[in-house]
Amino acid sequence: MKNIIQNKSKDLQNEIDNYLKCITDSSLLFFEGAREAYRGDYDDAENRYRDISELERRADEHLKAIQYKLYAYNIAPDSRADIFELLDGLDDIVDRAKKNIFQICVEKPVIPDCMKDDFIAITAASVDAVDILIQGVRSFFEDVNSLEGYIKNVYLYEKKADALEEKIKRSIFQSTVVEELARKFQLRYYVEKIAMLSDLAENLAKKMLMYKIKRII
Amino acid sequence: MILKLFYLSSGLFMGWSLGANDAANIFGTAVGTKMVRFTTAAIISGVFILLGALLSGAGTTGTLGALGAIKALPGAFIVSLTAALTIMSMTKAGLPVSTSQAIVGSILGWNFFAGATTDYTVLYRIAGAWLFTPILAALFSVGLYFLFKAILENIKIHLFSLDWIIKLSLILAGAFGAYSLGMNNIANVVGVFMSVSPFVDIQVGDYFVLSSLQQLLFFGGASIAIGVITYSKNVMMTIGSGIYRLSPVTALIVVLSSSLVLFLFASENLQAGLIALGLPAIPLVPVSQSQGVVGAISGIGIAKGGGNINTRLLGKIVVGWLLTPLCAGILSYISLFIMQNVFLQKVFI
């Protein structure tokens, strides 16, 4: 009875806010780190990698606390499975960002100058998709009626990332700037992994739309 | 006295089964979806059913008393028992059966057996109320559905705060539903014993008298409450995750709509208020909460565009309307014959 009368959701709301901040910060750090790596500043990129690792650790702690509080406080029992699935999906984005920056730092790919702008553009599009997704997640909790606008924007950035992915792949394999096949494959691999961030954002946006429909009375 | 209490046992059994089944209509979704714990639901239901029965249960009880003034305890025992048995068998057949219809059928069986005159004005009033129960519940739920939809589409509220508000609303609506159930359906439990109450008035202090009717209402209300506490958990879980799988908001609408109907058909104050205003009075009639719930769910189906109306279930209700009183009446008539001629008990005076 006490559980019902006392509104304990404020605590959980703060936990989710902190978790979302970790995701946003890690995706922005990923962008900075990737840009530095494209320029050849690998020391700075390494620092970003360490910062993202720390954010990932904190995000995991927040996620565990969220799961505990959702169930222990019996909050939103009819939609808590959806809520947890959504937030758990965001954790995959941090993991992907961390793996990407780690691989760039370790393998130090040489990106031809003529492709650097496109690499930065695809990274920016993917990070923008994640950023808009996080805004959408906040809206899912705080103002569900304006969610669809964010979802449309996530789709938009994902499409942009897809178009850039195609363009870069064509450049890699059709131009003579990159000669060795192994290097071609390596660059293609990075492009796919960077675009994967926007794909993850798009998948979560689709799921969020389903969760919204389930909440309509 | 022990024999008198034994005769009362069929009414208490009726109350127990009513509590075990009908509380699920009030808190089924809330408990089934884990919005509200069963213990909380059972305590609230028990307390408010008892309060409703004690404070406002006299109106509908009087109506049943007017339909058949049973003056012999063995007769009242049989009427109540046959109604309960009819409910059991109809429930097994999967029909959304109503205790009100069963008890009215049994009373009519007694009227025929005893050669008593049936007050057809009262009977038509009761039948009319049965017909209007799902219709009114559907109308209320359509109105509430659009109201809730408009509110939810226009407010900016955090998901968790909304969840908390809905949870509290489900508790409050559940308390109102339990109160309405107690005040409306107590008649089905003790109505037939009104003229043959085994209790005598008890003087409490200098100013307060606990009348035999109040004692009867208390025992009836308590039997419903015990039914809720001891046996309704499984039914609640079935409703929460079974055929009536509703979202918490639609569950709130269904509980409010069906409870409003029960309240309308049981409130003496409302009736007096309408008469004072020169408006037509709403009869005080025990009606079926389950059928109110089906009406309310259909109302939501209509509000959503009509695709979700379960016409088969509505058809079953109509069959139940006809079959329940008929079966209860025939069973009551035969049982009264056996009680009188085999057990040699006076079933009417």
mmCIF file of all heavy atoms in Angstrom, chain B residues 321-343:
data_model
loop_
_atom_site.group_PDB
_atom_site.id
_atom_site.type_symbol
_atom_site.label_atom_id
_atom_site.label_comp_id
_atom_site.label_asym_id
_atom_site.label_seq_id
_atom_site.Cartn_x
_atom_site.Cartn_y
_atom_site.Cartn_z
ATOM 1 N N TRP B 321 -29.583 -14.092 -20.200
ATOM 2 C CA TRP B 321 -30.752 -13.362 -19.716
ATOM 3 C C TRP B 321 -31.985 -14.263 -19.661
ATOM 4 O O TRP B 321 -32.785 -14.184 -18.747
ATOM 5 C CB TRP B 321 -31.064 -12.193 -20.640
ATOM 6 C CG TRP B 321 -30.303 -10.946 -20.345
ATOM 7 C CD1 TRP B 321 -29.688 -10.624 -19.160
ATOM 8 C CD2 TRP B 321 -30.053 -9.867 -21.236
ATOM 9 N NE1 TRP B 321 -29.083 -9.406 -19.276
ATOM 10 C CE2 TRP B 321 -29.290 -8.909 -20.530
ATOM 11 C CE3 TRP B 321 -30.413 -9.602 -22.551
ATOM 12 C CZ2 TRP B 321 -28.875 -7.710 -21.098
ATOM 13 C CZ3 TRP B 321 -29.998 -8.415 -23.110
ATOM 14 C CH2 TRP B 321 -29.240 -7.478 -22.399
ATOM 15 N N LEU B 322 -32.111 -15.092 -20.688
ATOM 16 C CA LEU B 322 -33.306 -15.939 -20.778
ATOM 17 C C LEU B 322 -33.136 -17.215 -19.970
ATOM 18 O O LEU B 322 -34.037 -17.635 -19.239
ATOM 19 C CB LEU B 322 -33.597 -16.286 -22.248
ATOM 20 C CG LEU B 322 -33.802 -15.092 -23.187
ATOM 21 C CD1 LEU B 322 -33.842 -15.548 -24.634
ATOM 22 C CD2 LEU B 322 -35.087 -14.360 -22.834
ATOM 23 N N LEU B 323 -31.950 -17.842 -20.127
ATOM 24 C CA LEU B 323 -31.743 -19.156 -19.510
ATOM 25 C C LEU B 323 -31.600 -19.113 -17.994
ATOM 26 O O LEU B 323 -32.131 -19.975 -17.294
ATOM 27 C CB LEU B 323 -30.490 -19.815 -20.106
ATOM 28 C CG LEU B 323 -30.669 -20.717 -21.313
ATOM 29 C CD1 LEU B 323 -29.354 -21.371 -21.681
ATOM 30 C CD2 LEU B 323 -31.720 -21.809 -21.032
ATOM 31 N N THR B 324 -30.871 -18.111 -17.489
ATOM 32 C CA THR B 324 -30.594 -18.091 -16.048
ATOM 33 C C THR B 324 -31.868 -18.039 -15.206
ATOM 34 O O THR B 324 -32.066 -18.905 -14.344
ATOM 35 C CB THR B 324 -29.642 -16.928 -15.697
ATOM 36 O OG1 THR B 324 -28.553 -16.953 -16.594
ATOM 37 C CG2 THR B 324 -29.144 -16.999 -14.271
ATOM 38 N N PRO B 325 -32.756 -17.043 -15.418
ATOM 39 C CA PRO B 325 -33.960 -17.039 -14.576
ATOM 40 C C PRO B 325 -34.838 -18.275 -14.800
ATOM 41 O O PRO B 325 -35.428 -18.791 -13.852
ATOM 42 C CB PRO B 325 -34.700 -15.772 -15.002
ATOM 43 C CG PRO B 325 -33.850 -15.061 -15.968
ATOM 44 C CD PRO B 325 -32.734 -15.936 -16.370
ATOM 45 N N LEU B 326 -34.847 -18.754 -16.069
ATOM 46 C CA LEU B 326 -35.686 -19.913 -16.376
ATOM 47 C C LEU B 326 -35.191 -21.154 -15.616
ATOM 48 O O LEU B 326 -35.969 -21.838 -14.932
ATOM 49 C CB LEU B 326 -35.669 -20.166 -17.887
ATOM 50 C CG LEU B 326 -36.683 -21.180 -18.403
ATOM 51 C CD1 LEU B 326 -38.099 -20.617 -18.283
ATOM 52 C CD2 LEU B 326 -36.395 -21.544 -19.854
ATOM 53 N N CYS B 327 -33.889 -21.430 -15.719
ATOM 54 C CA CYS B 327 -33.311 -22.599 -15.044
ATOM 55 C C CYS B 327 -33.466 -22.475 -13.532
ATOM 56 O O CYS B 327 -33.846 -23.428 -12.846
ATOM 57 C CB CYS B 327 -31.826 -22.741 -15.369
ATOM 58 S SG CYS B 327 -31.539 -23.195 -17.061
ATOM 59 N N ALA B 328 -33.161 -21.268 -13.002
ATOM 60 C CA ALA B 328 -33.237 -21.060 -11.558
ATOM 61 C C ALA B 328 -34.686 -21.246 -11.084
ATOM 62 O O ALA B 328 -34.929 -21.856 -10.031
ATOM 63 C CB ALA B 328 -32.732 -19.673 -11.205
ATOM 64 N N GLY B 329 -35.633 -20.725 -11.883
ATOM 65 C CA GLY B 329 -37.056 -20.840 -11.517
ATOM 66 C C GLY B 329 -37.503 -22.287 -11.460
ATOM 67 O O GLY B 329 -38.139 -22.722 -10.490
ATOM 68 N N ILE B 330 -37.134 -23.070 -12.497
ATOM 69 C CA ILE B 330 -37.549 -24.480 -12.553
ATOM 70 C C ILE B 330 -36.893 -25.261 -11.406
ATOM 71 O O ILE B 330 -37.556 -26.024 -10.682
ATOM 72 C CB ILE B 330 -37.192 -25.099 -13.923
ATOM 73 C CG1 ILE B 330 -38.040 -24.440 -15.021
ATOM 74 C CG2 ILE B 330 -37.389 -26.609 -13.921
ATOM 75 C CD1 ILE B 330 -37.591 -24.748 -16.439
ATOM 76 N N LEU B 331 -35.587 -25.033 -11.205
ATOM 77 C CA LEU B 331 -34.855 -25.724 -10.139
ATOM 78 C C LEU B 331 -35.443 -25.374 -8.771
ATOM 79 O O LEU B 331 -35.610 -26.244 -7.896
ATOM 80 C CB LEU B 331 -33.380 -25.335 -10.191
ATOM 81 C CG LEU B 331 -32.433 -26.156 -9.338
ATOM 82 C CD1 LEU B 331 -32.412 -27.608 -9.758
ATOM 83 C CD2 LEU B 331 -31.009 -25.583 -9.422
ATOM 84 N N SER B 332 -35.797 -24.106 -8.606
ATOM 85 C CA SER B 332 -36.369 -23.640 -7.343
ATOM 86 C C SER B 332 -37.708 -24.342 -7.092
ATOM 87 O O SER B 332 -37.967 -24.855 -5.992
ATOM 88 C CB SER B 332 -36.544 -22.124 -7.411
ATOM 89 O OG SER B 332 -37.340 -21.664 -6.369
ATOM 90 N N TYR B 333 -38.538 -24.410 -8.121
ATOM 91 C CA TYR B 333 -39.869 -25.025 -8.004
ATOM 92 C C TYR B 333 -39.737 -26.491 -7.586
ATOM 93 O O TYR B 333 -40.387 -26.952 -6.641
ATOM 94 C CB TYR B 333 -40.598 -24.903 -9.350
ATOM 95 C CG TYR B 333 -42.068 -25.266 -9.286
ATOM 96 C CD1 TYR B 333 -43.038 -24.283 -9.090
ATOM 97 C CD2 TYR B 333 -42.490 -26.595 -9.427
ATOM 98 C CE1 TYR B 333 -44.388 -24.614 -9.031
ATOM 99 C CE2 TYR B 333 -43.838 -26.927 -9.369
ATOM 100 C CZ TYR B 333 -44.784 -25.928 -9.181
ATOM 101 O OH TYR B 333 -46.108 -26.247 -9.108
ATOM 102 N N ILE B 334 -38.839 -27.220 -8.291
ATOM 103 C CA ILE B 334 -38.663 -28.656 -7.996
ATOM 104 C C ILE B 334 -38.092 -28.847 -6.586
ATOM 105 O O ILE B 334 -38.560 -29.694 -5.806
ATOM 106 C CB ILE B 334 -37.733 -29.310 -9.057
ATOM 107 C CG1 ILE B 334 -38.397 -29.268 -10.439
ATOM 108 C CG2 ILE B 334 -37.379 -30.749 -8.684
ATOM 109 C CD1 ILE B 334 -37.470 -29.609 -11.599
ATOM 110 N N SER B 335 -37.106 -28.026 -6.226
ATOM 111 C CA SER B 335 -36.466 -28.164 -4.912
ATOM 112 C C SER B 335 -37.441 -27.837 -3.786
ATOM 113 O O SER B 335 -37.419 -28.475 -2.724
ATOM 114 C CB SER B 335 -35.253 -27.248 -4.805
ATOM 115 O OG SER B 335 -34.379 -27.493 -5.856
ATOM 116 N N LEU B 336 -38.305 -26.835 -4.025
ATOM 117 C CA LEU B 336 -39.303 -26.487 -3.002
ATOM 118 C C LEU B 336 -40.271 -27.646 -2.796
ATOM 119 O O LEU B 336 -40.656 -27.972 -1.663
ATOM 120 C CB LEU B 336 -40.066 -25.220 -3.427
ATOM 121 C CG LEU B 336 -39.287 -23.904 -3.312
ATOM 122 C CD1 LEU B 336 -39.978 -22.785 -4.090
ATOM 123 C CD2 LEU B 336 -39.098 -23.485 -1.863
ATOM 124 N N PHE B 337 -40.615 -28.307 -3.901
ATOM 125 C CA PHE B 337 -41.510 -29.464 -3.839
ATOM 126 C C PHE B 337 -40.868 -30.578 -2.983
ATOM 127 O O PHE B 337 -41.505 -31.171 -2.113
ATOM 128 C CB PHE B 337 -41.796 -29.963 -5.263
ATOM 129 C CG PHE B 337 -42.678 -31.168 -5.314
ATOM 130 C CD1 PHE B 337 -44.073 -31.044 -5.213
ATOM 131 C CD2 PHE B 337 -42.146 -32.452 -5.418
ATOM 132 C CE1 PHE B 337 -44.888 -32.163 -5.243
ATOM 133 C CE2 PHE B 337 -42.956 -33.570 -5.447
ATOM 134 C CZ PHE B 337 -44.333 -33.429 -5.366
ATOM 135 N N ILE B 338 -39.553 -30.810 -3.243
ATOM 136 C CA ILE B 338 -38.839 -31.864 -2.487
ATOM 137 C C ILE B 338 -38.742 -31.478 -1.011
ATOM 138 O O ILE B 338 -38.993 -32.289 -0.119
ATOM 139 C CB ILE B 338 -37.425 -32.099 -3.092
ATOM 140 C CG1 ILE B 338 -37.557 -32.672 -4.517
ATOM 141 C CG2 ILE B 338 -36.578 -33.010 -2.214
ATOM 142 C CD1 ILE B 338 -36.271 -32.705 -5.316
ATOM 143 N N MET B 339 -38.389 -30.218 -0.754
ATOM 144 C CA MET B 339 -38.238 -29.753 0.636
ATOM 145 C C MET B 339 -39.556 -29.907 1.400
ATOM 146 O O MET B 339 -39.571 -30.319 2.565
ATOM 147 C CB MET B 339 -37.826 -28.275 0.622
ATOM 148 C CG MET B 339 -37.378 -27.740 1.956
ATOM 149 S SD MET B 339 -35.802 -28.459 2.436
ATOM 150 C CE MET B 339 -35.260 -27.321 3.677
ATOM 151 N N GLN B 340 -40.649 -29.615 0.709
ATOM 152 C CA GLN B 340 -41.960 -29.669 1.375
ATOM 153 C C GLN B 340 -42.439 -31.107 1.558
ATOM 154 O O GLN B 340 -42.916 -31.468 2.631
ATOM 155 C CB GLN B 340 -42.983 -28.890 0.550
ATOM 156 C CG GLN B 340 -44.352 -28.845 1.212
ATOM 157 C CD GLN B 340 -45.344 -28.068 0.368
ATOM 158 O OE1 GLN B 340 -45.593 -26.902 0.621
ATOM 159 N NE2 GLN B 340 -45.875 -28.717 -0.657
ATOM 160 N N ASN B 341 -42.239 -31.911 0.518
ATOM 161 C CA ASN B 341 -42.838 -33.251 0.564
ATOM 162 C C ASN B 341 -41.892 -34.348 1.019
ATOM 163 O O ASN B 341 -42.357 -35.398 1.477
ATOM 164 C CB ASN B 341 -43.427 -33.597 -0.802
ATOM 165 C CG ASN B 341 -44.525 -32.620 -1.176
ATOM 166 O OD1 ASN B 341 -45.525 -32.488 -0.468
ATOM 167 N ND2 ASN B 341 -44.315 -31.871 -2.250
ATOM 168 N N VAL B 342 -40.609 -34.169 0.898
ATOM 169 C CA VAL B 342 -39.661 -35.194 1.351
ATOM 170 C C VAL B 342 -39.135 -34.845 2.737
ATOM 171 O O VAL B 342 -39.143 -35.666 3.654
ATOM 172 C CB VAL B 342 -38.494 -35.359 0.352
ATOM 173 C CG1 VAL B 342 -37.484 -36.388 0.852
ATOM 174 C CG2 VAL B 342 -39.026 -35.760 -1.021
ATOM 175 N N PHE B 343 -38.705 -33.573 2.905
ATOM 176 C CA PHE B 343 -38.134 -33.179 4.210
ATOM 177 C C PHE B 343 -39.206 -32.587 5.155
ATOM 178 O O PHE B 343 -38.892 -32.211 6.272
ATOM 179 C CB PHE B 343 -36.998 -32.182 3.998
ATOM 180 C CG PHE B 343 -35.826 -32.798 3.284
ATOM 181 C CD1 PHE B 343 -35.629 -32.591 1.920
ATOM 182 C CD2 PHE B 343 -34.923 -33.620 3.973
ATOM 183 C CE1 PHE B 343 -34.548 -33.156 1.264
ATOM 184 C CE2 PHE B 343 -33.857 -34.188 3.307
ATOM 185 C CZ PHE B 343 -33.653 -33.974 1.947
#
